[in-house]
């Protein structure tokens, strides 16, 4: 433990102020990154969750130390850990194309709540270090994740097309590029004047085949309305 924080571990007006301000700062730092990427829960949401969690721990300590209610001090904090999942679930959506979004934001909200509990309990070192690691994961590790996805051997593609002959041309393109079709799902039948047919492909790529050139080649096939990776 760092001795610089020893004077702030007792529950007094100074330590309460420091903990609340620190909760706002840590939650805000995590929220800025989400706000920058235009995610559902951004700057203010992370601040409120982190601050609320810190106040929960502070309230538990106040009830125990000042009001002498000798109950389990961790009980309120445990409810925060479970209850924040309700807010996190609201940021997770499944798009019309069966793509899940919001998992990182939901995990960030949950982590912000844990950081708030740590700050409220006076565990400053853990809260600050956790905030640093979360920012590192969201900024640096995200680039590593994208690079890994670029070299992923198996991908899922969503495609909209106009007629069956177009689908046959795309399957022929896969054979020419030595791309193996693991699974194919037709999600909407042809024959409608207002909607294109849709297909979802599970593909296995060889080492020399990259995702972006493959998407460009599929998009050049006559009759393909749209194609993207899921």
């Amino acid at each position: 433990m760092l001795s610089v924080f020893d004077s702030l571990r007792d529950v007094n007006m100074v330590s309460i102020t420091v903990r609340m301000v620190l909760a706002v700062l840590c939650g805000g730092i995590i929220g800025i990154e989400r706000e920058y990427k235009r995610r559902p829960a951004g700057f203010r949401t992370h601040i409120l969750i982190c601050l609320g969690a810190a106040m929960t721990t502070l309230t538990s300590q106040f009830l125990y130390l000042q009001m002498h209610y000798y109950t389990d001090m961790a009980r309120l904090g445990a409810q925060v850990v479970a209850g924040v999942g309700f807010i996190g679930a609201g940021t997770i959506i499944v798009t019309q194309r069966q793509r899940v979004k919001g998992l990182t934001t939901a995990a960030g909200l949950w982590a912000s709540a844990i950081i708030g509990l740590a700050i409220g309990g006076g565990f400053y070192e853990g809260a600050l270090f956790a905030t640093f690691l979360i920012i590192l994961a969201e900024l640096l590790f995200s680039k590593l994740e994208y690079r890994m996805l670029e070299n992923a051997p198996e991908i899922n593609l969503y495609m909209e097309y106009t007629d069956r002959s177009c689908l046959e041309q795309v399957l022929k393109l896969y054979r020419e590029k030595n791309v193996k079709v693991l699974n194919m799902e037709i999600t909407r039948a042809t024959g409608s004047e207002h909607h294109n047919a849709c297909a979802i492909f599970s593909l296995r790529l060889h080492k020399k085949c990259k995702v972006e050139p493959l998407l460009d080649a599929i998009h050049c096939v006559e009759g393909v309305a749209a194609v993207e990776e899921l």
Side-chain angles (χ1 to χ4, degrees):
M1 295 295 180
L2 299 177
S3 59
V4 68
F5 294 118
D6 288 346
S7 61
L8 298 175
R9 301 194 196 278
D10 294 331
V11 180
N12 51 56
M13 195 61 197
V14 175
S15 67
I16 291 173
T17 303
V18 171
R19 294 181 195 188
M20 294 177 67
V21 171
L22 191 59
V24 171
L25 291 176
C26 290
I29 289 171
I30 298 172
I32 284 177
E33 190 274 339
R34 295 285 89 189
E35 191 79 36
Y36 179 76
K37 293 185 177 179
R38 298 183 180 274
R39 294 300 186 261
F43 184 65
R44 291 178 299 171
T45 306
H46 282 78
I47 287 178
L48 292 175
I49 287 179
C50 193
L51 181 59
M55 280 302 302
T56 300
T57 308
L58 282 169
T59 302
S60 297
Q61 292 179 344
F62 178 80
L63 292 176
Y64 184 85
L65 298 175
Q66 304 298 326
M67 303 300 293
H68 304 295
Y69 293 163
Y70 297 111
T71 59
D72 185 4
M73 292 179 61
R75 180 175 297 177
L76 290 178
Q79 299 306 312
V80 171
V81 174
V84 77
F86 175 77
I87 299 177
T91 67
I92 302 174
I93 60 173
V94 180
T95 66
Q96 189 175 7
R97 299 177 182 182
Q98 302 303 308
R99 188 173 184 177
V100 180
K101 292 185 177 182
L103 290 175
T104 303
T105 302
L109 290 172
W110 184 78
S112 294
I114 304 301
I115 290 173
L117 292 175
I119 292 173
F123 186 26
Y124 302 103
E125 298 90 343
L128 292 173
F129 190 51
T131 301
F132 169 76
L133 291 178
I134 290 172
I135 294 300
L136 183 67
E138 292 183 344
L139 294 179
L140 182 61
F141 293 169
S142 62
K143 296 180 180 179
L144 177 62
E145 181 182 9
Y146 295 146
R147 183 170 297 181
M148 292 173 60
L149 289 175
E150 288 180 356
N151 299 314
E154 296 184 6
I155 63 171
N156 295 315
L157 294 184
Y158 171 87
M159 185 183 76
E160 293 184 7
Y161 60 98
T162 56
D163 52 51
R164 187 178 298 274
S165 62
C166 170
L167 179 60
E168 294 172 353
Q169 291 297 319
V170 171
L171 293 175
K172 181 180 178 181
L173 175 66
Y174 291 154
R175 289 192 295 269
E176 293 175 351
K177 291 186 172 293
N178 197 24
V179 174
K180 184 177 181 180
V181 180
L182 302 177
N183 187 39
M184 181 177 67
E185 179 183 353
I186 305 298
T187 59
R188 188 183 300 146
T190 56
S192 172
E193 297 180 356
H194 304 288
H195 300 285
N196 295 316
C198 303
I200 297 177
F201 300 100
S202 294
L203 306 175
R204 177 173 294 164
L205 310 181
H206 57 84
K207 294 183 179 180
K208 295 183 179 180
C209 184
K210 301 299 181 181
V211 178
E212 291 300 327
L214 179 62
L215 291 177
D216 293 338
I218 296 173
H219 206 277
C220 291
V221 175
E222 184 178 357
V224 174
V227 61
E228 67 177 24
E229 183 182 1
L230 295 177

